[in-house]
Amino acid sequence: MVSAGALRGHLVGSRLAGVVGTSREAGLRSYRAFAARDPRVLLGIDPGSGWGFGDVLAVMAERVGVPADPRCVTGPDVIDPALTLAGLDAFAGRLAEVVRRRGAVLIGTGHPHRLLGFYVRLADALSAGGCTVLTPAQGRCVDITTRFGLRTYNLGYVRGVGFVREGGGLRAGSTTGAHCHSPLPVRVALDAAAEAGGPLPQLVIGDHGWVCGAGQLGFEAVGLADTDDPAPFVGQAQGVVSAVVPVDDGVRGGHYLPLARYVLNRACLSQ
């Protein structure tokens, strides 16, 4: 069992929250790109009207704890650990609800190198709790536009967690995945689930395009997001995303495991 006090110390000590590794410059650059409707930063969210740079900065200050002053332009960024803990509590509440209903869930990550272990533990616990962990469109090709041009990836799953691999040459079951912001993988997965006649997920869990793409399509979605990923927090402010945990998404994978234990304990899913 991980207490809130102990987890807060872990968050700050591992730089998951508090002063984090993501730079202020990267965050501000992303907020401006979101305001300019750059699809690489929207992650599948349609912000509609409004949401200029000042609006994005304000919501990130409120929901993440980054400095609200636009004149603060350099140095490391900051995540308020109290907001991280509140996000984890809300996240746990949605897990508890889907388990109560024995609902189907879809889990995916754009950060398989860092976050796969976190999501695998959630998938194992949800499955043990009676949920169906979906794996639609296994092996399906997904064409994604990157800064290097159009690239073909394959959608794969490891222990119930989806991510994309660069096309060709990787054996089935390989955990080697690609960093991906695109909402296309979750759209492909949801389309495949619908084409197969269901079930469709009652909850989508993930980050980047997985959570934003699913939420924009009307599925309940919860996830993690860094200070330079404003889309999930804007989506949450719009009511498109149910819960977002502000956390640095670039630290060592093992540092996220206490977060998984905390969430599962709060959701009464400890294994």
Side-chain angles (χ1 to χ4, degrees), residues 60-85:
M60 294 300 289
E62 175 189 357
R63 296 176 183 269
V64 180
V66 303
D69 188 348
R71 295 170 297 181
C72 176
V73 297
T74 62
D77 228 331
V78 177
I79 295 175
D80 184 344
L83 294 175
T84 303
L85 288 169

Side-chain angles (χ1 to χ4, degrees), residues 17 20 37 57-58 77 81 91 98 127-128 178 204 210 230 233 235 242 248 254 258:
V20 297
R37 305 301 190 262
L57 178 59
D77 228 331
F91 189 108
V98 78
S127 179
V204 177
W210 285 86
F233 299 103
S242 292
D248 190 308

Side-chain angles (χ1 to χ4, degrees), residues 183-205:
L184 291 178
V186 76
R187 291 175 184 167
V188 168
L190 292 169
D191 283 347
E195 290 168 3
L200 295 174
Q202 294 182 27
L203 183 67
V204 177
I205 302 166

Side-chain angles (χ1 to χ4, degrees), residues 3 9 11 15 42 45 53 70 72 74 99 120 134 136 151 159 161 184 190 204 208 215-216 250 256 260 264 271:
S3 69
L11 291 169
R15 299 188 69 182
L42 295 178
I45 290 292
F53 169 76
C72 176
T74 62
V99 169
V120 161
L134 303 175
R151 294 287 179 88
R159 292 175 60 183
V161 181
L184 291 178
L190 292 169
V204 177
H208 287 176
Q216 189 63 50
Y256 300 97
L264 294 176
Q271 294 177 295

Side-chain angles (χ1 to χ4, degrees), residues 72-269:
C72 176
V73 297
T74 62
D77 228 331
V78 177
I79 295 175
D80 184 344
L83 294 175
T84 303
L85 288 169
L88 289 168
D89 289 343
F91 189 108
R94 303 322 303 153
L95 296 190
E97 176 61 22
V98 78
V99 169
R100 186 188 68 78
R101 292 179 283 154
R102 299 295 190 268
V105 298
L106 177 65
I107 307 174
T109 180
H111 268 293
H113 303 91
R114 308 289 187 184
L115 293 172
L116 183 62
F118 171 83
Y119 292 118
V120 161
R121 279 155 181 78
L122 301 188
D124 288 347
L126 289 166
S127 179
C131 291
T132 300
V133 179
L134 303 175
T135 58
Q138 171 83 38
R140 189 78 59 86
C141 291
V142 186
D143 292 329
I144 299 174
T145 301
T146 73
R147 58 179 176 165
F148 306 109
L150 190 66
R151 294 287 179 88
T152 298
Y153 295 86
N154 293 323
L155 178 58
Y157 294 86
V158 169
R159 292 175 60 183
V161 181
F163 56 90
V164 295
R165 306 181 179 97
E166 292 190 29
L170 290 177
R171 62 182 175 81
S174 169
T175 59
T176 302
H179 182 205
C180 178
H181 284 218
S182 174
L184 291 178
V186 76
R187 291 175 184 167
V188 168
L190 292 169
D191 283 347
E195 290 168 3
L200 295 174
Q202 294 182 27
L203 183 67
V204 177
I205 302 166
D207 49 66
H208 287 176
W210 285 86
V211 65
C212 291
Q216 189 63 50
L217 290 174
F219 293 88
E220 183 174 11
V222 298
L224 313 181
D226 205 338
T227 63
D228 61 349
D229 287 327
F233 299 103
V234 172
Q236 184 183 27
Q238 292 182 312
V240 171
V241 177
S242 292
V244 188
V245 181
V247 67
D248 190 308
D249 60 16
V251 306
R252 289 195 300 110
H255 287 321
Y256 300 97
L257 301 186
L259 280 65
R261 290 195 292 271
Y262 178 84
V263 165
L264 294 176
N265 178 260
R266 297 285 290 180
C268 298
L269 284 169

